[in-house]
Amino acid sequence: MMEYRGREAVDRLRADYGGVDGLCRRLRTSPGKGISESEVPQRQRAFGANSIPPKPPKTFLQLAFEAMQDYTLLMLVVCAFISLAISLYQKFRSKSGSAAAASHGDDTEEQAGWIEGVAIAFAVIVVVIVTAFNDWSKERQFRGLQAKLEQEHLFDVVRAGQLTKVLVSDIVVGDICQVKYGDALPADGIIVQSNDLKVDESSLTGESDHVKKSLDRDPVLLSGTNVMEGSGRMLITAVGINSQAGIIFSLLGAAADDDNGDDGEAGGGKKSGNNKAADVDAAAGGSSGAAAGAGNRAGRGEAANAAETVKLTGANRGGSGDNHDQDLAADDQQQQQPEAPKKRSNFGAKEKSILQAKLTTLAIRIGNVGSLVGGLTFFILLVKYCVITFAPPPTGAGESLNFTRDLQRLIDFVIIAVTVIVVAVPEGLPLAVTISLAYSVKKMMKDNNLVRHLDACETMGNATAICSDKTGTLTTNRMTVVQAYLGGVLEKTVTKKFEDYPRRISEALCRAIAINSGVTSRILPAEKPNELPKQVGNKTECALLGLVLDMGRHYDEYRSQAPPESIHHVYTFNSVRKSMTTVIKRDDGGYTLYCKGAAEMVLTKCSCLLDSDGEERPFGRQEQEQVIRRVIDPMAGDGLRTIAVAYKEFGPRDKLPDWDAEDQVVSRLTCIGILGIEDPVRPEVPLAIRKCQAAGICVRMVTGDNVNTARSIAGKCGILRPGENFLVLEGREFNKQIRDPATGQVTQERFNQVWPRLRVLARSSPQDKYTLVSGIIASRLSASREVVAVTGDGTNDGPALKKADVGFAMGIQGTDVAKEASDIILTDDNFSSIVKAVMWGRNVYDSISKFLQFQLTVNVVAVVVAVFSACVITDTPLRAIQMLWVNLIMDTLASLALATELPNDELLERKPYGRTKPLIDTTMLRNILGNAIYQLVITFALLFAGDKLIDTPIELGSRVPTEHFTAIFNAFVLMTLFNEVNARKIHNQRNVFTGLQRNLLFVLIWISTFVLQILIVQYGGMVFRTTQLELSHWMWCLCFGIGTLVWHQVVISVPISILPTCLEIGGSTEQEIDQILEDEEYDQMGSLTDVETDINKKGQVLWIRGLTRLQTQTKLNIICDAFRLKLAIFRHYRTEFISTY
């Protein structure tokens, strides 16, 4: 049945099942009352649950086996065998040891050469275990987050005659579901009753035109499609894997498995972002996205939507069938959306975040520097060896070519050169990024920010502009009627009861409000004695229903007089109508039309007005303009939303109009009155906006409300400040100013003349919001380029939410489509939560910068020591196992310590970084080089003058641990440890201990690392190549460490102007930014069809985008350490990694 469409489906339904009533009888359900709760378990057993069985998670051994498939790990295994073979060969060839080993002074080859191969094997095991554990833990985190999301997916269902919200996964065959604008249908069904219902089926058919649904036109509703207009009820006929989307999704899951199994990592080990996301998604358990967008994936070959796994997604958790509360600003999709351009194959918009782009640039620059130094090192070593070995005496030994010996030396030189390259890589950075983002995302959930895309967290820290909705975001969204214009009289305070007005006015007003409102909008009693009644559903309608209650009547009395079967036609709210109209069939055969909406829009459709006696009198255009000036404008000036209520009657003998001809039907109305609804500004919003402005973030209001209302609210919020040169525009005027009069197209030049001063955009459509966001992002007026965040709640806000660098969807009033298009969901719809997101985003960025400052200081010192050891002396002051401790353990602990700093208000006292600021600017560069110079001076001073400085004999080439080298190792670690404290501050703060008491984890890790260092030095012995130090030596090393704190004060006193800006690393050029924006353009379209497709792509990136990138980088991190271990055992503490870069 569900495979038929249009008229064929109507005929099939009547022929095979006797219509909807016959189908209800077969399914043993009532079209009016639904089923009872007790029937749910039985129906789940008979017809299945509304979920797709998740793919079992991969076991730890499976994840470990997958980790072993990495090319570089396989190379390490080969190196392990070669190392063991060489050591055994040397041991049996000459029991007294080779002369080459003695000449290098490295006793590991002679005494314990087998350690090389064992250490490499051990490193591989560590890499595999850590990588597998990381994948396993991230998958578990993903499943946990998904479980939380699923708990919030509710749908309106009629059970036992009562409308209730149930989890989407609890919907069963036979349920009667209430569907409305913005809903993503969770299962297949047949229409029971519809009101101007239009559905977007592009996810299944590819057709962008909305399909009108009704019992006599096309009664079939399919899971995964979206309700774009109207409302109605549907009988559920198929759920889970039996639904159309479920079937498609199951096939896609099988196909994805086949593709993944066949393709592997073909093409040189390179795997596309889509495949990677699909792999992780499949591991995360299949999907409920079958309902909310599997059709998109079917039509375009996408894999499972990771944003909606395990359970079928459901409906909008708030709002009513009208949703004219949505700032009166939903766009008419069919009229304004452009034709979709051809898709590209890449992953889509915002795939490359601001931080990611800077990290990529940083990695390239560091790789280039490391390659240059590594190549130079190899050249020096090769020349030195050739001169010493082959030059005739007395310059060299004059020896002849020895293939085995010379090949071994050549391999040694290559390894040393690669060591230098690997040393330059900040291997702990990926782990720091992962920890910082994951930690922040978890904490942000407590601040009412549900982060759907991991990298949106740090992107928000760079935001320079916020385009915010008004209703519910800047205001409380608890609306109350405070002024009224009834019977030709303006009431500044509404206190009258039903009897105080002429009966015709009172009766018409209460009936029009009660009947012409969504059934989900209602007023519930207060849960506690001192609380206000609870408003459920559309808040504008709740305000009107509250007026009915205040007048002494109950809206249910009027609703009972107009049951659903008496509703003849409904013209639901959209941004073109800016109103809602319901036509009711009366018992006498006539019809009554009720209309409510934006006052100035409804008035233009009125020809009569109820006067003070309740009688109709003519209401001409001139009087309408007077009412606008005397009533509507003053109300709007007080910050009130103005709603006009009107009606029209059709007699039983009147010629009925064509109900599809809306302009003819909704005309010549009789105006009952105009109501002024107050939506107070949230008390915390003005302070939050002042914080944003102090932080260099420009806040703009984008609303569908009257321009005077918007101006008033913006003034109360602090968006409009006295003395500023700002613009307040309506959408029509905005378009006029930014578009070329000749072509009608938006030009960046004209746009740049408007947006810097624009603060309020009123009477705007979602297309206007999209145009505003696009233009600001593309503008080059700002040196650092703008980073834009935007809020949205309606289905047609999808394009703007996707185009923005960070899209915020309303968790309460937002539709499913808006939530899917967003990066972060505001669970409380509160602007102050956006400010908290800014703080967390800046904190993430700073945490990563802190770790970079710390890590690169270590790396600079290590590179210099490695190169110097290889080219100048015949020994290395830092042994293999010691560098293993410094890199594998200290870096991990440091990333955990520095990445978990809590945000503070200081973060909002500086300007945003924007797109172009380098990740490592001159300030950080000065700190890195300054502290590295101190550590190098101390290291080399101890190396060459340790006997004079701390009274330790200088012993180079010793085959046993010495106090000399142990003291150097200890001083190096303690200087690094104290420099970790310095790294807590990156903005020239003098007091590096500020806020230390708020980060107990940092203190605990720092103390633990210090204690472990004591144990390693005093009791490490041959394992760590150390010997016990005397107390005096410990005190000297401690002084060197504390000296790092003192020296840092000197470093930050050096003016950064002495460093050239060309040394900055990690910035983005104008060309790079333009390329990123150009790559994003293809899926930044006004077409909801493509928005839906892109939404499903974005769904894959819920955590997966971050995990794919960061897990890969973390794997490289651990591989680096494994290479380092191999090289250290080989005399220089690191191994091959160059192929990865």
Side-chain angles (χ1 to χ4, degrees), residues 80-94 108-110 112-118 408 1130:
F81 282 105
I82 293 176
S83 177
L84 281 172
I86 291 176
S87 63
L88 292 176
Y89 172 76
Q90 289 178 337
K91 180 177 180 180
F92 287 107
R93 187 186 66 173
S94 175
T108 57
E109 290 184 356
E110 181 178 344
W114 58 271
I115 293 180
E116 292 175 338
V118 173
Q408 183 177 348
F1130 243 110

Side-chain angles (χ1 to χ4, degrees), residues 850-851 853-855 857-859 861 885-887 889-895 897-898 931 934-935 968-985 992-993 996 1001-1017 1034 1037-1046 1048:
K850 292 171 185 177
F851 182 79
Q853 180 172 302
F854 167 74
Q855 177 69 70
T857 303
V858 177
N859 288 21
V861 175
W885 155 244
V886 171
N887 290 286
I889 300 177
M890 179 173 283
D891 288 350
T892 301
L893 295 176
S895 63
L898 292 172
N931 286 293
Y934 172 83
Q935 294 185 27
I968 294 176
F969 163 64
N970 196 38
F972 173 70
V973 170
L974 292 186
M975 287 188 295
T976 300
L977 197 56
F978 278 94
N979 191 46
E980 187 177 339
V981 179
N982 289 332
R984 292 185 63 250
K985 303 297 179 182
V992 295
F993 299 101
L996 195 59
L1001 182 61
F1002 180 95
V1003 176
L1004 179 62
I1005 290 175
W1006 196 93
I1007 294 175
S1008 300
T1009 308
F1010 191 90
V1011 171
L1012 287 173
Q1013 177 64 15
I1014 295 175
L1015 296 178
I1016 287 173
V1017 170
W1034 266 104
C1037 293
L1038 189 61
C1039 287
F1040 295 144
I1042 296 175
T1044 302
L1045 299 176
V1046 179
H1048 183 71

Side-chain angles (χ1 to χ4, degrees), residues 342-368:
K342 186 178 180 179
K343 289 281 182 181
R344 298 184 191 177
S345 60
N346 61 334
F347 207 66
K350 291 186 281 189
E351 177 63 18
K352 197 168 188 179
S353 70
I354 295 171
L355 179 62
Q356 183 184 359
K358 292 182 178 181
L359 288 174
T360 301
T361 304
L362 175 66
I364 293 173
R365 292 285 294 274
I366 290 178
N368 291 339

Side-chain angles (χ1 to χ4, degrees), residues 158 383 414 425 434 521 632 641 660 664 746 965 1095:
V158 178
V383 171
V414 172
V425 177
T434 304
S521 297
I632 297 177
R641 167 173 289 181
D660 290 332
Q664 298 178 13
V746 177
F965 277 11
I1095 285 169

Side-chain angles (χ1 to χ4, degrees), residues 540-556:
T540 299
E541 291 182 344
C542 287
L544 300 177
L545 296 175
L547 174 64
V548 175
L549 295 176
D550 292 340
M551 291 176 66
R553 292 292 186 269
H554 201 287
Y555 51 86
D556 281 341

Side-chain angles (χ1 to χ4, degrees), residues 644-851:
V645 184
Y647 76 99
K648 179 180 181 180
E649 292 188 344
F650 299 87
R653 297 182 180 180
D654 293 346
K655 181 181 179 180
L656 297 180
D658 179 4
W659 298 110
D660 290 332
E662 181 184 347
D663 292 339
Q664 298 178 13
V665 175
V666 188
S667 64
R668 303 186 63 80
L669 308 180
T670 298
C671 179
I672 301 173
I674 300 171
L675 305 175
I677 300 177
E678 181 183 43
D679 187 10
V681 173
R682 290 180 182 268
E684 66 274 17
V685 164
L687 176 60
I689 288 180
R690 286 198 299 271
K691 287 183 177 180
C692 284
Q693 292 167 342
I697 303 173
C698 179
V699 181
R700 294 177 175 86
M701 177 194 294
V702 183
T703 177
D705 255 352
N706 180 288
V707 64
N708 293 323
T709 303
R711 185 193 297 270
S712 175
I713 296 296
K716 294 176 181 179
C717 292
I719 294 176
L720 301 181
R721 293 184 290 183
E724 277 193 343
N725 183 20
F726 55 77
L727 278 179
V728 177
L729 297 177
E730 286 189 331
R732 185 180 304 174
E733 180 64 23
F734 171 71
N735 279 280
K736 182 179 178 181
Q737 293 193 22
I738 65 174
R739 295 182 183 274
D740 189 313
T743 64
Q745 299 296 316
V746 177
T747 64
Q748 191 66 46
E749 182 180 357
R750 296 176 66 90
F751 186 88
N752 288 342
Q753 297 174 4
V754 175
W755 77 263
R757 295 190 297 124
L758 182 65
R759 294 296 179 271
V760 176
L761 184 59
R763 282 289 181 242
S764 63
S765 68
Q767 187 66 27
D768 294 335
K769 181 186 290 187
Y770 175 82
T771 302
L772 177 63
V773 172
S774 302
I776 295 177
I777 291 176
S779 176
R780 296 189 180 187
L781 289 183
S782 302
S784 59
R785 299 294 291 268
E786 297 291 314
V787 178
V788 182
V790 66
T791 67
D793 51 18
T795 296
N796 290 349
D797 284 329
L801 289 170
K802 281 195 56 71
K803 180 63 180 177
D805 295 289
V806 181
F808 286 89
M810 302 297 105
I812 299 174
Q813 290 296 317
T815 63
D816 285 346
V817 175
K819 293 175 185 177
E820 292 302 324
S822 68
D823 301 290
I824 299 175
I825 297 175
L826 297 178
T827 58
D828 61 349
D829 290 9
N830 195 336
F831 183 86
S832 61
S833 298
I834 299 178
V835 180
K836 294 176 182 177
V838 173
M839 290 180 60
W840 277 108
R842 293 190 175 189
N843 191 65
V844 167
Y845 199 98
D846 280 6
S847 295
I848 295 170
S849 297
K850 292 171 185 177
F851 182 79

